Amino acid sequence: MSEFKEIKPIELNENTFKIIGKDAMLITAEKDGKINTMTASWGGLGVLWSMEVVFIFVRPQRYTKEFIEANDYFSLSFLGENYKKQLGYLGTVSGRDEDKIANSGLTLNNNENAPYFDESNKVIICKKLYEQDLKEEFFIDKSIIDKSYPDKDFHTVYVGKIEKVLVK
């Protein structure tokens, strides 16, 4: 039985530098009845186009990218400190190679639009609004390319409208 309650995005009272950059999150989406997830620590929350939004970054070789591309919705699941092992596993193993969600021991749940994890302490359900590949010619500080993109595998940025926030 789900222990989640819905709150408004403005009621989120979290340090996004901590929950995204330090603790990490799971980006999860569905494609053709299958679900895949990945650990991420790049992204943010904010206001754009007079909407409360998230923005996430996904490299082209990530299997989860296919799932995000195939669906209008994705979720961000935030798990507590006690799930670092699962976050590490889900960030290093590809869903192409094994059923990593089943092997993680985490429990899938699904709202009407996007899958998420019961073990989360907060979940953000998002509707895609925008996507664009980062391009080398638009980097003003070229040292970022050497540091973060030595293989030129530039991320795709996705902006998602926050449709629902669930917390425990």
Short mmCIF file of all heavy atoms in Angstrom, two decimals, residues 31-70:
data_model
loop_
_atom_site.label_atom_id
_atom_site.label_comp_id
_atom_site.label_asym_id
_atom_site.label_seq_id
_atom_site.Cartn_x
_atom_site.Cartn_y
_atom_site.Cartn_z
N LYS A 31 8.43 2.11 -22.04
CA LYS A 31 8.38 2.00 -23.50
C LYS A 31 7.85 0.62 -23.84
O LYS A 31 8.41 -0.39 -23.41
CB LYS A 31 9.78 2.18 -24.08
CG LYS A 31 9.90 1.90 -25.55
CD LYS A 31 11.35 1.96 -25.98
CE LYS A 31 11.51 1.43 -27.38
NZ LYS A 31 12.91 1.29 -27.77
N ASP A 32 6.77 0.56 -24.59
CA ASP A 32 6.21 -0.71 -25.05
C ASP A 32 5.99 -1.71 -23.91
O ASP A 32 6.30 -2.89 -24.04
CB ASP A 32 7.12 -1.34 -26.12
CG ASP A 32 7.30 -0.46 -27.35
OD1 ASP A 32 6.37 0.30 -27.67
OD2 ASP A 32 8.38 -0.51 -27.97
N GLY A 33 5.50 -1.21 -22.79
CA GLY A 33 5.20 -2.07 -21.65
C GLY A 33 6.40 -2.46 -20.81
O GLY A 33 6.27 -3.18 -19.82
N LYS A 34 7.59 -2.00 -21.18
CA LYS A 34 8.81 -2.27 -20.41
C LYS A 34 9.22 -0.98 -19.69
O LYS A 34 8.95 0.12 -20.17
CB LYS A 34 9.95 -2.74 -21.31
CG LYS A 34 9.69 -4.08 -21.95
CD LYS A 34 10.85 -4.48 -22.82
CE LYS A 34 10.58 -5.80 -23.52
NZ LYS A 34 11.63 -6.17 -24.44
N ILE A 35 9.91 -1.15 -18.58
CA ILE A 35 10.34 0.00 -17.78
C ILE A 35 11.84 -0.05 -17.62
O ILE A 35 12.43 -1.11 -17.42
CB ILE A 35 9.64 -0.02 -16.41
CG1 ILE A 35 8.13 0.14 -16.61
CG2 ILE A 35 10.18 1.08 -15.50
CD1 ILE A 35 7.30 -0.11 -15.38
N ASN A 36 12.48 1.11 -17.71
CA ASN A 36 13.91 1.20 -17.43
C ASN A 36 14.17 2.44 -16.59
O ASN A 36 13.39 3.40 -16.60
CB ASN A 36 14.74 1.22 -18.72
CG ASN A 36 16.16 0.78 -18.46
OD1 ASN A 36 16.40 -0.32 -17.97
ND2 ASN A 36 17.11 1.65 -18.75
N THR A 37 15.28 2.38 -15.87
CA THR A 37 15.65 3.48 -14.98
C THR A 37 17.15 3.70 -15.02
O THR A 37 17.90 2.80 -15.42
CB THR A 37 15.18 3.20 -13.53
OG1 THR A 37 15.27 4.38 -12.76
CG2 THR A 37 15.97 2.08 -12.89
N MET A 38 17.58 4.86 -14.63
CA MET A 38 19.00 5.17 -14.52
C MET A 38 19.21 6.13 -13.37
O MET A 38 18.33 6.93 -13.03
CB MET A 38 19.54 5.78 -15.81
CG MET A 38 18.91 7.11 -16.18
SD MET A 38 19.60 7.88 -17.66
CE MET A 38 20.92 8.86 -16.93
N THR A 39 20.37 6.05 -12.78
CA THR A 39 20.76 6.98 -11.73
C THR A 39 21.30 8.24 -12.40
O THR A 39 22.02 8.15 -13.39
CB THR A 39 21.83 6.35 -10.83
OG1 THR A 39 21.31 5.13 -10.31
CG2 THR A 39 22.21 7.27 -9.69
N ALA A 40 20.96 9.39 -11.86
CA ALA A 40 21.43 10.66 -12.41
C ALA A 40 21.74 11.63 -11.28
O ALA A 40 21.11 11.60 -10.23
CB ALA A 40 20.38 11.26 -13.35
N SER A 41 22.72 12.49 -11.56
CA SER A 41 23.05 13.52 -10.58
C SER A 41 23.26 14.88 -11.25
O SER A 41 23.88 15.77 -10.69
CB SER A 41 24.29 13.12 -9.78
OG SER A 41 25.39 12.95 -10.63
N TRP A 42 22.76 15.01 -12.46
CA TRP A 42 22.76 16.28 -13.16
C TRP A 42 21.31 16.66 -13.42
O TRP A 42 20.53 15.85 -13.92
CB TRP A 42 23.48 16.19 -14.50
CG TRP A 42 24.96 16.06 -14.42
CD1 TRP A 42 25.71 15.76 -13.32
CD2 TRP A 42 25.89 16.23 -15.50
NE1 TRP A 42 27.03 15.72 -13.65
CE2 TRP A 42 27.18 16.00 -14.98
CE3 TRP A 42 25.74 16.53 -16.84
CZ2 TRP A 42 28.32 16.09 -15.77
CZ3 TRP A 42 26.87 16.60 -17.63
CH2 TRP A 42 28.15 16.39 -17.10
N GLY A 43 20.94 17.89 -13.10
CA GLY A 43 19.59 18.35 -13.37
C GLY A 43 19.20 19.43 -12.39
O GLY A 43 20.03 19.94 -11.63
N GLY A 44 17.94 19.77 -12.40
CA GLY A 44 17.47 20.81 -11.50
C GLY A 44 15.97 21.00 -11.57
O GLY A 44 15.28 20.36 -12.36
N LEU A 45 15.52 21.89 -10.73
CA LEU A 45 14.11 22.27 -10.65
C LEU A 45 14.05 23.78 -10.80
O LEU A 45 14.95 24.49 -10.36
CB LEU A 45 13.52 21.89 -9.28
CG LEU A 45 13.68 20.45 -8.82
CD1 LEU A 45 13.27 20.33 -7.36
CD2 LEU A 45 12.83 19.55 -9.68
N GLY A 46 12.97 24.28 -11.38
CA GLY A 46 12.84 25.72 -11.51
C GLY A 46 11.54 26.11 -12.16
O GLY A 46 10.59 25.33 -12.22
N VAL A 47 11.53 27.34 -12.65
CA VAL A 47 10.36 27.89 -13.32
C VAL A 47 10.79 28.30 -14.72
O VAL A 47 11.80 28.99 -14.90
CB VAL A 47 9.78 29.10 -12.55
CG1 VAL A 47 8.61 29.70 -13.30
CG2 VAL A 47 9.38 28.68 -11.13
N LEU A 48 10.04 27.85 -15.71
CA LEU A 48 10.31 28.16 -17.10
C LEU A 48 8.98 28.22 -17.82
O LEU A 48 8.12 27.36 -17.59
CB LEU A 48 11.23 27.09 -17.71
CG LEU A 48 11.67 27.27 -19.16
CD1 LEU A 48 12.53 28.52 -19.32
CD2 LEU A 48 12.46 26.04 -19.61
N TRP A 49 8.81 29.21 -18.69
CA TRP A 49 7.57 29.36 -19.45
C TRP A 49 6.36 29.43 -18.51
O TRP A 49 5.29 28.89 -18.80
CB TRP A 49 7.40 28.24 -20.48
CG TRP A 49 8.57 28.08 -21.40
CD1 TRP A 49 9.18 29.07 -22.12
CD2 TRP A 49 9.27 26.88 -21.69
NE1 TRP A 49 10.22 28.54 -22.83
CE2 TRP A 49 10.30 27.20 -22.61
CE3 TRP A 49 9.14 25.55 -21.28
CZ2 TRP A 49 11.19 26.26 -23.11
CZ3 TRP A 49 10.03 24.60 -21.79
CH2 TRP A 49 11.03 24.97 -22.68
N SER A 50 6.56 30.08 -17.36
CA SER A 50 5.51 30.24 -16.34
C SER A 50 5.00 28.90 -15.80
O SER A 50 3.86 28.78 -15.38
CB SER A 50 4.33 31.06 -16.88
OG SER A 50 4.78 32.33 -17.29
N MET A 51 5.86 27.88 -15.83
CA MET A 51 5.52 26.56 -15.32
C MET A 51 6.62 26.08 -14.38
O MET A 51 7.79 26.43 -14.54
CB MET A 51 5.39 25.55 -16.47
CG MET A 51 4.19 25.75 -17.35
SD MET A 51 4.13 24.49 -18.64
CE MET A 51 4.92 25.38 -19.98
N GLU A 52 6.21 25.25 -13.43
CA GLU A 52 7.19 24.57 -12.56
C GLU A 52 7.73 23.38 -13.34
O GLU A 52 6.96 22.54 -13.82
CB GLU A 52 6.51 24.14 -11.26
CG GLU A 52 6.09 25.35 -10.45
CD GLU A 52 4.79 25.16 -9.68
OE1 GLU A 52 3.91 24.40 -10.14
OE2 GLU A 52 4.66 25.79 -8.62
N VAL A 53 9.06 23.33 -13.47
CA VAL A 53 9.68 22.33 -14.35
C VAL A 53 10.86 21.66 -13.67
O VAL A 53 11.40 22.14 -12.67
CB VAL A 53 10.15 22.96 -15.68
CG1 VAL A 53 9.00 23.57 -16.46
CG2 VAL A 53 11.25 23.98 -15.46
N VAL A 54 11.26 20.53 -14.27
CA VAL A 54 12.54 19.89 -13.99
C VAL A 54 13.33 19.93 -15.28
O VAL A 54 12.76 20.04 -16.37
CB VAL A 54 12.38 18.43 -13.51
CG1 VAL A 54 11.50 18.36 -12.28
CG2 VAL A 54 11.84 17.53 -14.60
N PHE A 55 14.64 19.85 -15.14
CA PHE A 55 15.47 19.63 -16.33
C PHE A 55 16.48 18.56 -15.98
O PHE A 55 17.03 18.52 -14.88
CB PHE A 55 16.12 20.92 -16.85
CG PHE A 55 16.88 21.72 -15.84
CD1 PHE A 55 18.24 21.56 -15.69
CD2 PHE A 55 16.22 22.64 -15.04
CE1 PHE A 55 18.94 22.31 -14.76
CE2 PHE A 55 16.91 23.39 -14.10
CZ PHE A 55 18.28 23.23 -13.95
N ILE A 56 16.60 17.61 -16.90
CA ILE A 56 17.49 16.47 -16.72
C ILE A 56 18.39 16.34 -17.94
O ILE A 56 18.07 16.87 -19.02
CB ILE A 56 16.71 15.16 -16.48
CG1 ILE A 56 15.77 14.85 -17.65
CG2 ILE A 56 15.96 15.21 -15.16
CD1 ILE A 56 15.15 13.47 -17.62
N PHE A 57 19.48 15.63 -17.77
CA PHE A 57 20.46 15.44 -18.83
C PHE A 57 20.75 13.96 -18.98
O PHE A 57 21.05 13.28 -17.99
CB PHE A 57 21.76 16.20 -18.49
CG PHE A 57 21.55 17.67 -18.37
CD1 PHE A 57 21.08 18.24 -17.19
CD2 PHE A 57 21.81 18.51 -19.44
CE1 PHE A 57 20.88 19.60 -17.08
CE2 PHE A 57 21.61 19.88 -19.34
CZ PHE A 57 21.14 20.43 -18.16
N VAL A 58 20.68 13.45 -20.21
CA VAL A 58 20.88 12.03 -20.46
C VAL A 58 21.83 11.87 -21.65
O VAL A 58 21.61 12.45 -22.71
CB VAL A 58 19.53 11.32 -20.75
CG1 VAL A 58 19.74 9.83 -21.01
CG2 VAL A 58 18.55 11.54 -19.61
N ARG A 59 22.86 11.06 -21.45
CA ARG A 59 23.82 10.80 -22.53
C ARG A 59 23.19 9.90 -23.60
O ARG A 59 22.32 9.09 -23.30
CB ARG A 59 25.07 10.13 -21.98
CG ARG A 59 25.97 11.09 -21.21
CD ARG A 59 27.34 10.48 -21.00
NE ARG A 59 28.10 11.21 -20.00
CZ ARG A 59 28.94 12.21 -20.26
NH1 ARG A 59 29.13 12.62 -21.50
NH2 ARG A 59 29.59 12.81 -19.29
N PRO A 60 23.67 10.03 -24.85
CA PRO A 60 23.04 9.27 -25.95
C PRO A 60 23.15 7.76 -25.81
O PRO A 60 22.28 7.04 -26.29
CB PRO A 60 23.80 9.76 -27.19
CG PRO A 60 25.03 10.42 -26.69
CD PRO A 60 24.75 10.89 -25.31
N GLN A 61 24.18 7.25 -25.15
CA GLN A 61 24.36 5.81 -25.06
C GLN A 61 23.54 5.17 -23.94
O GLN A 61 23.48 3.94 -23.84
CB GLN A 61 25.85 5.44 -24.89
CG GLN A 61 26.51 5.97 -23.64
CD GLN A 61 27.18 7.31 -23.82
OE1 GLN A 61 26.66 8.18 -24.50
NE2 GLN A 61 28.34 7.48 -23.19
N ARG A 62 22.88 5.96 -23.12
CA ARG A 62 22.10 5.40 -22.02
C ARG A 62 20.82 4.75 -22.55
O ARG A 62 20.07 5.36 -23.32
CB ARG A 62 21.75 6.47 -20.98
CG ARG A 62 22.94 7.06 -20.24
CD ARG A 62 23.78 6.05 -19.48
NE ARG A 62 23.07 5.35 -18.45
CZ ARG A 62 23.14 5.64 -17.15
NH1 ARG A 62 23.90 6.62 -16.73
NH2 ARG A 62 22.45 4.93 -16.28
N TYR A 63 20.57 3.52 -22.12
CA TYR A 63 19.39 2.77 -22.55
C TYR A 63 18.11 3.49 -22.16
O TYR A 63 17.13 3.49 -22.91
CB TYR A 63 19.47 1.37 -21.95
CG TYR A 63 18.41 0.39 -22.40
CD1 TYR A 63 18.06 0.24 -23.74
CD2 TYR A 63 17.79 -0.43 -21.47
CE1 TYR A 63 17.11 -0.67 -24.14
CE2 TYR A 63 16.83 -1.35 -21.85
CZ TYR A 63 16.50 -1.47 -23.19
OH TYR A 63 15.56 -2.39 -23.57
N THR A 64 18.11 4.11 -21.00
CA THR A 64 16.92 4.82 -20.53
C THR A 64 16.50 5.92 -21.50
O THR A 64 15.32 6.27 -21.58
CB THR A 64 17.16 5.39 -19.12
OG1 THR A 64 17.56 4.32 -18.26
CG2 THR A 64 15.92 6.05 -18.55
N LYS A 65 17.43 6.46 -22.26
CA LYS A 65 17.11 7.52 -23.22
C LYS A 65 16.04 7.05 -24.21
O LYS A 65 15.13 7.82 -24.54
CB LYS A 65 18.37 7.96 -23.96
CG LYS A 65 18.15 9.19 -24.84
CD LYS A 65 19.47 9.65 -25.45
CE LYS A 65 19.41 10.98 -26.11
NZ LYS A 65 18.35 11.19 -27.09
N GLU A 66 16.13 5.80 -24.65
CA GLU A 66 15.12 5.26 -25.57
C GLU A 66 13.72 5.30 -24.93
O GLU A 66 12.73 5.55 -25.61
CB GLU A 66 15.43 3.81 -25.92
CG GLU A 66 16.69 3.60 -26.69
CD GLU A 66 16.98 2.12 -26.92
OE1 GLU A 66 16.02 1.30 -26.92
OE2 GLU A 66 18.17 1.79 -27.11
N PHE A 67 13.66 5.05 -23.65
CA PHE A 67 12.39 5.03 -22.93
C PHE A 67 11.84 6.44 -22.77
O PHE A 67 10.64 6.67 -22.93
CB PHE A 67 12.57 4.34 -21.58
CG PHE A 67 12.83 2.86 -21.70
CD1 PHE A 67 14.04 2.37 -22.16
CD2 PHE A 67 11.84 1.95 -21.38
CE1 PHE A 67 14.28 1.02 -22.28
CE2 PHE A 67 12.06 0.58 -21.50
CZ PHE A 67 13.29 0.13 -21.96
N ILE A 68 12.72 7.39 -22.46
CA ILE A 68 12.29 8.78 -22.34
C ILE A 68 11.80 9.29 -23.70
O ILE A 68 10.80 9.99 -23.77
CB ILE A 68 13.44 9.65 -21.80
CG1 ILE A 68 13.81 9.22 -20.37
CG2 ILE A 68 13.06 11.13 -21.82
CD1 ILE A 68 15.11 9.82 -19.86
N GLU A 69 12.51 8.92 -24.75
CA GLU A 69 12.12 9.35 -26.10
C GLU A 69 10.76 8.80 -26.50
O GLU A 69 10.01 9.45 -27.22
CB GLU A 69 13.17 8.89 -27.12
CG GLU A 69 14.53 9.52 -26.97
CD GLU A 69 14.59 10.95 -27.45
OE1 GLU A 69 13.84 11.30 -28.38
OE2 GLU A 69 15.39 11.72 -26.89
N ALA A 70 10.44 7.59 -26.05
CA ALA A 70 9.23 6.90 -26.50
C ALA A 70 7.97 7.29 -25.74
O ALA A 70 6.87 6.91 -26.13
CB ALA A 70 9.43 5.39 -26.37
#
